[in-house]
Each structure stands twice: as structure tokens, then as C-alpha cells.
Amino acid sequence: ALNYTFFSEGDIVFHAGEFPQTPQFYILTIGKLLYSAVFGTQTELSPGHWCSEGVLWLIWTHVGNLEALEDAKLCGVDAEQFQEIVGKFNHNGYDPRAYA
């Protein structure tokens, strides 16, 4: 359910309006990224930050651009595999769907 992808400075991870063929939640492990939302805000991400969490719970279309400001390594969590794994467990007192 996890994979690692390397990006070089200037690479685009995803574009606004893109419907990912393999939906993934991303965790930045090395480098810096810039997320530019379609409504104008920009956020710099450093190691430990994550993005696209909504893909774990929803049918997802990106609403911003994500660009590598320097060489970067992203850990991707495959959303479909995550949902399959989580669905196999009984979560007494906690329903992950309520979190979504």
C-alpha cells in the first residue's frame, strides 16, 4: 500500500483539476514542495507534511498544483489499498467513515 517516488526541483507532482488514475495520499519525507491552491493560497511543505488526505475517503480531484521546490521524496499511500485494509478490521468504538 506504500510506495516512494522521487521528484527533481521543478517537477510537478500533480495539477489542479487532475483526477488521479491511482489515487494516493502523500507524505513528504525529503525536500520541499509548494502547494498552490486554485483560490490563490500557497503553502510550502517540508518533511513530515502531508497532502491529498481526502483521497483516502472520497472520489478525489486535485484542487491545486504541487511542485518540487528542490529534490524531494514522497511516500505515497495507495487509497484503494488503504480502504481495503481498513475495511477488514472491526474498530470497536471508532468508525473511520465518521472521520471522513
Side-chain angles (χ1 to χ4, degrees):
L2 297 177
N3 64 71
Y4 289 93
T5 307
F6 295 89
F7 293 90
S8 295
E9 180 179 342
D11 283 353
I12 302 298
V13 179
F14 57 74
H15 290 280
E18 180 181 334
F19 180 81
Q21 290 183 6
T22 305
Q24 294 186 75
F25 164 62
Y26 296 107
I27 304 165
L28 181 59
T29 60
I30 296 172
K32 289 187 181 175
L33 302 174
L34 180 65
Y35 179 76
S36 302
V38 294
F39 49 84
T41 61
Q42 292 188 324
T43 304
E44 189 173 297
L45 290 92
S46 55
H49 284 113
W50 65 86
C51 62
S52 300
E53 180 184 6
V55 76
L56 297 175
W57 315 109
L58 308 165
I59 296 172
W60 189 255
T61 300
H62 293 295
V63 292
N65 300 320
L66 187 62
E67 177 183 355
L69 293 177
E70 59 188 44
D71 292 351
K73 179 181 173 185
L74 281 175
C75 174
V77 178
D78 184 292
E80 292 172 357
Q81 290 180 16
F82 172 85
Q83 292 163 359
E84 183 179 321
I85 291 166
V86 168
K88 292 180 180 181
F89 295 91
N90 181 13
H91 304 277
N92 291 327
Y94 176 72
D95 183 356
R97 294 172 296 187
Y99 171 76

